[in-house]
Amino acid sequence: MKIVILSRKSSLYSTNALVEAGLEAGHDVQVINPLRCYMNITSHNPSIHYKGEPVTGVDAVIPRIGASITFFGTAVVRQFEMMEVYSVNESIAITRSRDKLRSLQLLSRKGIGLPVTGFASSTKFTDDLIEMVGGAPLVVKLIEGTQGIGVVLTENRQAAESVIQAFQGMKANILVQEYIKESKGSDIRCFVVGGKVIASMKRTANNDEFRSNIHRGGTAAPVKITPEERSTAVRAAKIMGLNVCGVDLLRSNHGPVVMEVNSSPGLEGIEKATGINIAAKIIDFIEKNAKPGKTKARGKG
């Protein structure tokens, strides 16, 4: 098979791991920077060009689309879909998961456990917004944030009001969420491939930090998840329409709550924590599922 990995850097751990796994399985693997692609959008012969040459004969594409290039990156994935190339994660699912508000609304509608979450445009009703999520301490999140950037824990009401007003003064879209104290600065990343949790790790924040992201200095260790946590992660991935994703859970007093569903989860932390070759499992999934014309979206949506 010819597999294309859409990634801005071939030297990244995740990209490199996927290349190695694909080559080891006997496939032709090419890394393409989506920002260097350009497309011919035509009715009967849609095409993608890269470095002056048309990209042809591709059987499957693995999108590793960073949050900062979601718009153009998903356009490239959508173009592959129009060319009837199988995408591990389809463009519409990536876009859906990248919008934190939209994804929480979809998960909520299907009864997935979530932290109490508020969203508002005006600062006029900040008091009621704070009460809605149970008062301070609470968490304020930029909707466009990633890797823990744009996430603030406010310890008291005055701090909460100040942060909310500051973000909204910048015309930033924010979510206000209850702070799950009982999680004690830890979360669980469940890695889902093809409707199954294939690996899970517990990420714990360092002493002075509440964000457990490894990019923020958190540590990771393998963890045994409960049947309810496993079911929640699998359902969340299905609701988002993602075949490969990281589902981030907190252990609350009322069961697992989903914080985020990540359509382009890093492999390094969880592979090193668990010893599981996740990249090989993704390639195995492609081998079983990449059939011509099997992409459901076909560029729609």
Side-chain angles (χ1 to χ4, degrees):
M1 293 175 67
K2 182 176 179 179
I3 300 172
V4 164
I5 301 170
L6 292 175
S7 172
R8 293 173 71 184
K9 279 188 183 178
S10 57
S11 60
L12 291 173
Y13 179 98
S14 300
T15 305
N16 194 47
L18 288 163
V19 170
E20 287 184 4
L23 293 174
E24 199 165 308
H27 303 297
D28 175 7
V29 184
Q30 182 181 7
V31 178
I32 288 180
N33 181 345
L35 293 183
R36 301 285 171 85
C37 292
Y38 47 105
M39 297 164 274
N40 182 354
I41 302 168
T42 185
S43 297
H44 303 294
N45 190 27
S47 64
I48 295 175
H49 289 243
Y50 183 69
K51 293 184 176 179
E53 298 289 337
V55 181
T56 59
V58 180
D59 297 294
V61 61
I62 305 175
R64 299 290 306 172
I65 305 295
S68 63
I69 63 162
T70 297
F71 180 79
F72 192 83
T74 51
V76 174
V77 177
R78 194 158 52 244
Q79 189 76 356
F80 273 112
E81 291 166 359
M82 291 177 69
M83 293 160 60
E84 299 196 3
V85 174
Y86 180 83
S87 180
V88 169
N89 283 333
E90 294 183 356
S91 57
I92 194 166
I94 297 170
T95 305
R96 186 186 294 132
S97 66
R98 281 286 156 78
D99 184 334
K100 285 191 176 75
L101 178 62
R102 183 183 180 191
S103 61
L104 288 174
Q105 287 174 320
L106 291 169
L107 294 169
S108 171
R109 188 171 68 187
K110 296 293 185 179
I112 296 290
L114 301 170
V116 180
T117 303
F119 177 70
S121 174
S122 170
T123 58
K124 189 175 180 181
F125 305 106
T126 299
D127 284 348
D128 194 34
L129 186 65
I130 291 171
E131 288 301 322
M132 187 188 295
V133 302
L138 55 80
V139 177
V140 183
K141 289 183 178 179
L142 281 174
I143 285 183
E144 295 83 7
T146 183
Q147 295 178 349
I149 298 168
V151 180
V152 181
L153 171 63
T154 58
E155 300 280 2
N156 56 56
R157 190 181 194 89
Q158 186 176 8
E161 290 173 353
S162 296
V163 171
I164 291 168
Q165 289 168 2
F167 274 140
Q168 290 184 328
M170 295 163 59
K171 306 297 183 189
N173 290 313
I174 60 166
L175 297 175
V176 179
Q177 288 185 324
E178 71 170 319
Y179 175 53
I180 310 293
K181 295 185 280 289
E182 57 270 27
S183 68
K184 298 174 183 172
S186 295
D187 74 355
I188 293 171
R189 160 65 61 89
C190 296
F191 207 107
V192 180
V193 176
K196 296 178 181 176
V197 177
I198 61 163
S200 54
M201 66 175 173
K202 186 176 184 179
R203 302 182 297 190
T204 305
N206 64 30
N207 294 335
D208 301 320
E209 179 62 79
F210 83 100
R211 296 168 295 182
S212 56
N213 306 68
I214 293 172
H215 287 89
R216 308 258 69 81
T219 57
V223 66
K224 184 173 175 59
I225 57 173
T226 67
E228 187 182 7
E229 288 164 348
R230 186 176 300 275
S231 170
T232 297
V234 169
R235 287 173 61 214
K238 185 176 181 182
I239 292 163
M240 289 294 105
L242 293 167
N243 292 312
V244 173
C245 63
V247 180
D248 296 337
L249 306 171
L250 293 182
R251 287 176 165 169
S252 79
N253 289 336
H254 47 90
V257 294
V258 173
M259 299 301 290
E260 187 177 0
V261 182
N262 189 326
S263 63
S264 190
L267 305 187
E268 184 172 12
I270 197 161
E271 283 196 344
K272 288 182 175 178
T274 63
I276 296 170
N277 188 341
I278 291 173
K281 291 186 179 293
I282 293 171
I283 298 298
D284 183 59
F285 174 80
I286 290 171
E287 290 171 350
K288 290 183 172 72
N289 291 276
K291 303 289 189 293
K294 194 173 178 183
T295 295
K296 290 179 291 185
R298 301 284 181 88
K300 295 177 184 176

